[in-house]
Amino acid sequence: MAVKSEQVEKNLVKLTFEVSSEDFAKAINKAYAKNAKKYSVPGFRKGKVPKSVIEKYYTEAVFYDDAVNAVLPDAYEAAVKEAGIEAAARPEFDVEEIKKGEPVVFTALVTTKPEVELGEYIGVKVKKIEHNVSDSDVDKEIKVTQEKNARLVPADNKKIKKGSIVTIDFLGSVDGVEFEGGKGENYDLEIGSNTFIPGFEDQLIGKKAGEDVDVNVTFPEEYHAENLAGKDALFKVKIHEHKIKELPEINDDFASEVSEFDTLEEYKNSIKEKLTKSAEDRVKTETENAVVDAVVEGAKVEIPDAMISEQCERMVEDFAQRLQYQGLDINQYMQYTGSNIEQMKESFKPQAEKQLKTTLVLEAIVKKEGISVTDEEVGDKICEMAKQYNMEADKLKELMQERDIENLKEELSMNKVIDMLVNKAKISKPRAKKTEDTAKKEG
């Protein structure tokens, strides 16, 4: 393949490459076979119209788009490889001209990976991170479990207090006009949960079941519904039921009911072990982040706008997917927050730049240090993944495409370089804060 490479500006290359007339003709034939049923020509049955007739009736260009889409990906990939460049973002394509019987010439504006100027990355200094587990942490964990296992008992003759569970009807209005979302029936509300607008729950404290209460509140200035933001509202509230939590006693019986252990001491020990493991994992992650941040801060790299823009798009897509898992739609989210896609992309920009710089710097260190990943290490990782998916390793490997294996190798090489940086970092224990008495003595 004849490929012409032209440096347009820093990190932007114009590639000119071609697809032979024979290959393009084959792509047109495939496009015809795939889409013949879409075209109608008088005198012919649908799906039985010869290609030459369709081209004459609809013009020769009728199959060009499908043919271009078929040949362009492979042709572009081959051109990039031949030019010896590393593409870092989606290119901008153009078709120079299509003439029957002649090669089809394409151009692509390709954003290339920027050069990284590494700083000192061996032996960077970071402060030691510590997360210790205390008995009070264990008690807090048990308290959460105790709350989850609480019984709700009727307390209709008692006054409502913080922690009470009330069943209410409510109807909200602004200036005497009801508003959307301001009505509810048989709604269970925990007083003090801050589920409702600030001030709403407080005004039910001291009341009893069976009472009707007028609740006056002011919507926050930054409320998601713009028509209500900053407005004074009146809620007519009917209290149907009042219940309070009855907490189980924390003893051996409690431990045996909520865990696999027979005694409270064993249960506490298991919680401390779990919290300690979690604290150790947190220390490991935060230490890695601190070391990598220090290494990245010492490096210099100019990230092309196209890379940042593409990364922002991916982050918006990931955010939309997370919303979907929560049963929300990104369009609804934007409506609630008064934002749009462009504003969301802009908000992700600092995070996108940091992620890209981190990746580029770590890749540069991998290359400089000659860090590689063996087939055995890849196989071990696939076995580990297979266990997580409850699959056979061979079956998982069959399902993985070449790009999946490359991504796996990149992940493993990143893990290796981070381990190396952490192992060689200078981690110092932070100085203990002086107490007032110690300061006086030293003074």
Side-chain angles (χ1 to χ4, degrees):
M1 177 189 287
V3 178
K4 180 184 174 185
S5 178
E6 176 187 352
Q7 192 78 37
V8 178
E9 56 185 65
K10 190 175 182 179
N11 299 123
L12 188 64
V13 172
K14 181 181 179 181
L15 286 184
T16 304
F17 54 100
E18 62 184 40
V19 172
S20 69
S21 59
E22 293 82 9
D23 287 342
F24 195 68
K26 288 176 185 176
I28 287 177
N29 289 334
K30 287 181 180 178
Y32 163 70
K34 180 181 176 182
N35 299 306
K37 292 180 180 180
K38 294 180 182 179
Y39 300 99
S40 299
V41 175
F44 293 89
R45 283 188 299 156
K46 202 168 186 179
K48 299 295 182 181
V49 189
K51 181 167 74 70
S52 58
V53 174
I54 293 176
E55 289 175 331
K56 187 175 181 181
Y57 195 82
Y58 289 94
T59 77
E60 286 186 355
V62 66
F63 297 118
Y64 284 179
D65 284 346
D66 284 333
V68 165
N69 291 335
V71 299
L72 186 53
D74 288 344
Y76 168 69
E77 189 175 331
V80 167
K81 189 174 182 179
E82 187 169 325
I85 61 175
E86 276 192 278
R90 283 191 301 269
E92 293 179 22
F93 290 112
D94 196 13
V95 183
E96 293 290 288
E97 190 177 17
I98 299 177
K99 287 184 178 179
K100 198 167 185 177
E102 294 185 14
V104 180
V105 180
F106 296 96
T107 60
L109 280 175
V110 186
T111 299
T112 58
K113 274 189 178 181
E115 291 291 325
V116 177
E117 184 183 332
L118 292 170
E120 291 295 327
Y121 60 86
I122 299 295
V124 292
K125 296 178 181 179
V126 296
K127 289 182 180 178
K128 185 175 182 179
I129 297 169
E130 295 179 324
H131 291 297
N132 300 311
V133 177
S134 66
D135 290 341
S136 64
D137 294 323
V138 175
D139 291 339
K140 286 177 186 175
E141 191 82 4
I142 292 175
K143 183 68 177 174
V144 170
T145 305
Q146 185 191 33
E147 290 278 349
K148 288 179 180 178
N149 286 272
R151 290 193 314 121
L152 292 179
V153 295
D156 291 338
N157 60 333
K158 295 182 179 179
K159 290 184 178 181
I160 295 168
K161 60 182 180 179
K162 193 172 182 180
S164 293
I165 310 293
V166 294
T167 303
I168 59 173
D169 292 344
F170 59 89
L171 182 62
S173 61
V174 173
D175 296 329
V177 180
E178 295 176 19
F179 54 85
E180 187 178 352
K183 182 179 180 180
E185 294 180 350
N186 293 318
Y187 187 93
D188 290 331
L189 172 67
E190 180 176 350
I191 305 302
S193 64
N194 298 319
T195 304
F196 277 33
I197 302 163
F200 184 102
E201 295 167 28
D202 292 340
Q203 293 177 56
L204 299 182
I205 293 175
K207 308 300 181 185
K208 290 185 178 182
E211 289 190 41
D212 294 315
V213 186
D214 284 352
V215 175
N216 292 283
V217 294
T218 302
F219 282 95
E221 291 291 342
E222 297 182 358
Y223 194 64
H224 63 76
E226 292 182 9
N227 61 313
L228 297 175
K231 297 284 183 67
D232 293 329
L234 168 65
F235 283 88
K236 293 284 186 181
V237 180
K238 173 72 176 180
I239 305 172
H240 291 299
E241 290 181 293
H242 172 207
K243 293 179 181 178
I244 56 174
K245 291 179 180 178
E246 190 176 83
L247 299 174
E249 188 179 347
I250 298 175
N251 52 27
D252 289 345
D253 290 337
F254 171 79
S256 64
E257 285 179 9
V258 300
S259 74
E260 60 187 285
F261 302 99
D262 295 326
T263 67
L264 182 59
E265 185 179 0
E266 290 174 318
Y267 179 46
K268 283 186 173 182
N269 288 338
S270 73
I271 291 174
K272 190 161 189 175
E273 188 178 323
K274 182 189 74 173
L275 292 177
T276 301
K277 175 66 170 65
S278 178
E280 289 170 352
D281 291 342
R282 186 178 167 194
V283 167
K284 182 178 184 294
T285 299
E286 291 181 9
T287 300
E288 289 175 350
N289 290 342
V291 170
V292 169
D293 285 347
V295 170
V296 171
E297 191 176 342
K300 294 179 182 178
V301 56
E302 291 181 26
I303 305 173
D305 290 340
M307 285 183 71
I308 296 171
S309 178
E310 196 167 302
Q311 181 71 0
C312 287
E313 286 178 20
R314 280 195 291 266
M315 293 172 79
V316 169
E317 288 170 4
D318 289 343
F319 181 69
Q321 196 170 46
R322 290 197 301 272
L323 286 176
Q324 273 189 327
Y325 290 148
Q326 299 170 31
L328 297 173
D329 180 83
I330 192 167
N331 294 317
Q332 292 174 324
Y333 174 83
M334 288 190 292
Q335 186 178 355
Y336 291 149
T337 56
S339 61
N340 56 45
I341 289 291
E342 291 308 314
Q343 288 171 330
M344 288 183 69
K345 287 180 184 177
E346 188 64 26
S347 71
F348 281 125
K349 193 172 179 180
Q351 189 180 347
E353 287 188 73
K354 183 179 179 181
Q355 287 183 359
L356 287 168
K357 185 178 180 182
T358 299
T359 300
L360 290 167
V361 169
L362 292 178
E363 285 178 348
I365 297 173
V366 167
K367 187 175 181 180
K368 186 173 179 180
E369 293 290 329
I371 294 172
S372 60
V373 176
T374 65
D375 291 341
E376 185 180 354
E377 287 169 329
V378 172
D380 289 343
K381 183 64 178 177
I382 291 174
C383 287
E384 182 186 321
M385 292 166 60
K387 286 180 182 177
Q388 293 174 349
Y389 301 144
N390 198 23
M391 292 176 64
E392 291 182 7
D394 290 342
K395 181 64 177 175
L396 178 59
K397 193 171 183 179
E398 284 177 15
L399 295 173
M400 296 177 74
Q401 298 179 357
E402 186 177 341
R403 186 60 204 162
D404 297 324
I405 299 294
E406 288 303 313
N407 288 339
L408 195 56
K409 286 182 178 179
E410 288 173 15
E411 180 189 338
L412 290 171
S413 65
M414 287 293 184
N415 291 341
K416 276 190 171 185
V417 76
I418 291 171
D419 287 344
M420 181 202 76
L421 294 173
V422 172
N423 289 335
K424 295 187 177 182
K426 295 175 182 176
I427 301 174
S428 60
K429 193 168 183 176
R431 290 181 181 179
K433 291 182 180 179
K434 293 180 182 179
T435 63
E436 192 174 331
D437 290 340
T438 304
K440 285 179 181 178
K441 286 177 182 179
E442 291 181 355

